[in-house]
Amino acid sequence: MRFDGKKIVYIDMDHVLCDYEAGFNAHQTKYPELAFPQSQPGLYIGLAPMPGAVDAFKWLSAQPELEVFILTSPSEMNPHCYSEKRQWVEQHLGMAAVNRLIISPHKDLNRGDYLIDDNVAGKGQDHFEGELIHFGSEQYPDWRSVVAYFQ
């Protein structure tokens, strides 16, 4: 798939660009009485970037042969996640990245060459037409390994 002659790369947010696990654990400590602490405002906007994620996103975005987008699934039961994910992208990746943010629970509906995601199924990853780069796997354990693949 080409976008103005470039290969399309989608990057997931949770557990890939941002450290959802640490944020969730902190929110669970803050709201121990809630079954779903992620439903409280502040979780998504407060997530820390994964090590190397910001630099890797900027490097990938600067490659002339690539067109990079953020493709993240929402927490459908948490309306805060939509706006907080957008705010997170602006805060950590800049306004230009906001224009490349796609929030969808159906990742297979997006056409592209690569999907960098920590899950291989559940939100359409297993039906994505391009190559799935399984972030956090043995082959791609971190951003350094992902960048090395694209070099």
Side-chain angles (χ1 to χ4, degrees):
M1 171 51 57
R2 297 288 182 166
F3 182 87
D4 290 336
K6 299 178 179 185
K7 290 191 174 189
I8 298 173
V9 179
Y10 295 107
I11 304 174
D12 181 39
M13 282 185 72
D14 301 336
H15 304 289
V16 179
L17 286 174
C18 48
D19 191 349
Y20 181 85
E21 184 175 357
F24 178 84
N25 291 340
H27 237 55
Q28 196 170 36
T29 300
K30 187 175 181 179
Y31 301 104
E33 70 285 357
L34 297 178
F36 301 100
Q38 69 271 31
S39 66
Q40 294 302 301
L43 173 71
Y44 290 94
I45 189 64
L47 297 177
M50 292 291 283
V54 172
D55 289 339
F57 179 86
K58 290 178 180 178
W59 183 85
L60 287 167
S61 297
Q63 301 312 299
E65 71 278 8
L66 302 177
E67 204 64 47
V68 179
F69 295 89
I70 300 162
L71 177 56
T72 186
S73 294
S75 173
E76 293 95 351
M77 301 304 288
N78 177 1
H80 305 289
C81 91
Y82 292 84
S83 59
E84 289 188 17
K85 284 185 176 212
R86 184 252 179 246
Q87 290 173 308
W88 189 96
V89 168
E90 181 181 359
Q91 178 181 341
H92 294 281
L93 303 174
M95 197 60 196
V98 170
N99 291 317
R100 300 194 161 270
L101 174 63
I102 302 166
I103 301 175
S104 173
H106 308 285
K107 295 183 178 184
D108 55 320
L109 295 179
N110 290 271
R111 299 183 65 181
D113 299 286
Y114 303 98
L115 171 60
I116 303 168
D117 204 307
D118 63 306
N119 290 308
V120 296
K123 299 290 183 178
Q125 298 95 329
D126 50 337
H127 299 292
F128 179 72
E129 71 177 8
E131 180 180 344
L132 177 64
I133 296 174
H134 186 196
F135 189 84
S137 67
E138 188 175 318
Q139 186 174 4
Y140 302 107
D142 53 26
W143 275 107
R144 187 173 43 245
S145 61
V146 173
V147 168
Y149 174 77
F150 282 95
Q151 288 176 327

